[in-house]
Amino acid sequence: MEPGFGAFGGGFGAMGGFMTLFFVVVIGIIAFGAIRGVAQWSFNNASPVLSVEARVVSKRTHVSHHHHHDGNDSFHHSVNSSTQYFVTFEVESGDRMEFRVDGAEFGMLAEGDHGRLSFQGTRYLGFSRVRRAEAY
């Protein structure tokens, strides 16, 4: 054993292997997410733009909280949150589709609204409300 390296042998030994494995896993997760995002984007771009009669059947939100601590001082931390908005539409065939929408669009839609849903693949393009005398 070389002096000064102790139990780590001639470098970092097992600890170096764990760190390498950790970084490979992290890079793999990032690469997988990027490839998946590009594949979804390509799928949506290759899909036709569709416009169908639909109604809003439900709305939901997903709130994520992110806690940030400033150094070792436990008294100084910040909390950031982000909200994702989702709306589920039902078409005349009875099929349901959920789309992620922005907050302004989410606020303008109400459960039971009828109208024309436009989408491309999994990409929400818009909803135009129409007045209907009867529900389908």
Side-chain angles (χ1 to χ4, degrees):
M1 237 187 269
E2 293 181 33
F5 286 102
F8 293 116
F12 290 104
M15 185 59 94
F18 288 129
M19 291 302 291
T20 301
L21 179 62
F22 173 77
F23 286 116
V24 167
V25 168
V26 168
I27 297 298
I29 290 170
I30 292 169
F32 177 76
I35 291 168
R36 187 174 168 196
V38 168
Q40 186 67 55
W41 178 81
S42 295
F43 168 80
N44 286 338
N45 286 341
S47 297
V49 174
L50 300 175
S51 185
V52 297
E53 293 294 318
R55 71 183 174 101
V56 177
V57 292
S58 70
K59 296 169 49 174
R60 71 178 180 91
T61 60
H62 176 75
V63 180
S64 299
H65 298 284
H66 308 283
H67 299 272
H68 303 280
H69 297 279
D70 300 331
N72 293 331
D73 189 352
S74 62
F75 294 107
H76 291 92
H77 68 277
S78 60
V79 178
N80 294 332
S81 63
S82 61
T83 304
Q84 295 176 331
Y85 302 92
F86 299 90
V87 178
T88 302
F89 297 91
E90 183 177 276
V91 296
E92 290 177 311
S93 66
D95 292 332
R96 292 183 175 196
M97 295 175 277
E98 182 179 66
F99 293 98
R100 185 174 170 185
V101 301
D102 65 28
E105 186 84 11
F106 183 85
M108 295 300 294
L109 296 173
E111 291 183 16
D113 281 352
H114 289 85
R116 197 119 186 106
L117 169 67
S118 298
F119 63 97
Q120 184 179 27
T122 61
R123 185 181 298 144
Y124 173 81
L125 298 177
F127 182 76
S128 300
R129 188 178 306 109
V130 296
R131 209 169 193 73
R132 288 186 60 156
E134 62 181 83
Y136 53 84

